[in-house]
């Protein structure tokens, strides 16, 4: 039961836009407070259910349930917030891995795609010349290109950038490789962007 309560649930706002991921425990709390509805897919169509309606639907043999003394509840996989209609204001955390994600694991100089362990972060304007460590001044580069460029600008090294670096927009996302069959129902609501969201409170 404990592991089921900690599994991820996709959260939609009132406009059916994906805004967050929470735990099953948090989703059930939202349902009990009547702040959310369960969203379930049947034959390609999505329907919504209140907590009481959802608790009356028997689960299939392959579906996970949570149990209490008086209740047996199918684990919800998607919930719809009944009052929240905004997209959360968030910024993508500046990190090495997120720079790799933004640049699609592609060296911005030689344009080849690499495994993460073969990549580095390069300052477009070198740090010793006042270049800041910001979204707008760092790019993904392979190790050979990073060494070749050295402490020069791309123009000085005659290594034009594939794309000029920009601060990415935040979007909800889960891993492209879906780990569980129930996450396939999430695809309908997810943006093509790939920025991570963490489990948290709604």
């Amino acid at each position: 039961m404990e592991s089921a309560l900690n599994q991820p649930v996709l959260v939609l706002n009132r406009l059916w836009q994906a805004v967050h991921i929470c735990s099953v425990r948090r989703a059930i709390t939202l349902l009990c407070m009547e702040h959310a509805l369960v969203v379930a897919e049947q034959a390609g169509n999505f329907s919504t259910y209140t907590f009481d309606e959802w608790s009356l639907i028997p689960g299939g043999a392959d579906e996970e349930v949570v149990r209490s003394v008086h209740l047996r509840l199918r684990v919800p996989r998607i919930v719809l917030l009944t009052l929240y209609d905004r997209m959360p204001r968030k910024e993508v955390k500046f990190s090495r891995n997120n720079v790799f994600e933004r640049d699609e694991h592609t060296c911005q100089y030689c344009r080849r795609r690499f495994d993460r362990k073969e990549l580095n972060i390069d300052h477009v304007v070198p740090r010793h010349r006042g270049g800041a460590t910001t979204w707008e001044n760092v790019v993904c580069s392979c190790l050979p290109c990073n060494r070749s460029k050295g402490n020069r600008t791309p123009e000085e090294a005659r290594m034009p950038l594939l794309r000029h670096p920009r601060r990415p927009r935040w979007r909800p996302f889960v891993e492209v490789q879906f780990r569980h069959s129930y996450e396939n129902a999430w695809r309908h609501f997810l943006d093509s962007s790939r920025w991570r969201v963490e489990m948290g409170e709604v």
Side-chain angles (χ1 to χ4, degrees), residues 164-193:
H164 288 286
R166 292 189 174 89
R167 179 182 297 273
R169 295 173 60 194
W170 183 87
R171 287 287 190 276
F173 119 103
V174 292
E175 294 287 351
V176 175
Q177 298 297 321
F178 289 83
R179 294 166 297 169
H180 305 289
S181 60
Y182 63 75
E183 290 173 350
N184 288 328
W186 295 7
R187 294 177 187 271
H188 183 81
F189 303 102
L190 291 173
D191 190 272
S192 59
S193 300

Side-chain angles (χ1 to χ4, degrees), residues 27 70 125 145 201:
H70 303 292
V125 176
C145 283
E201 297 301 303

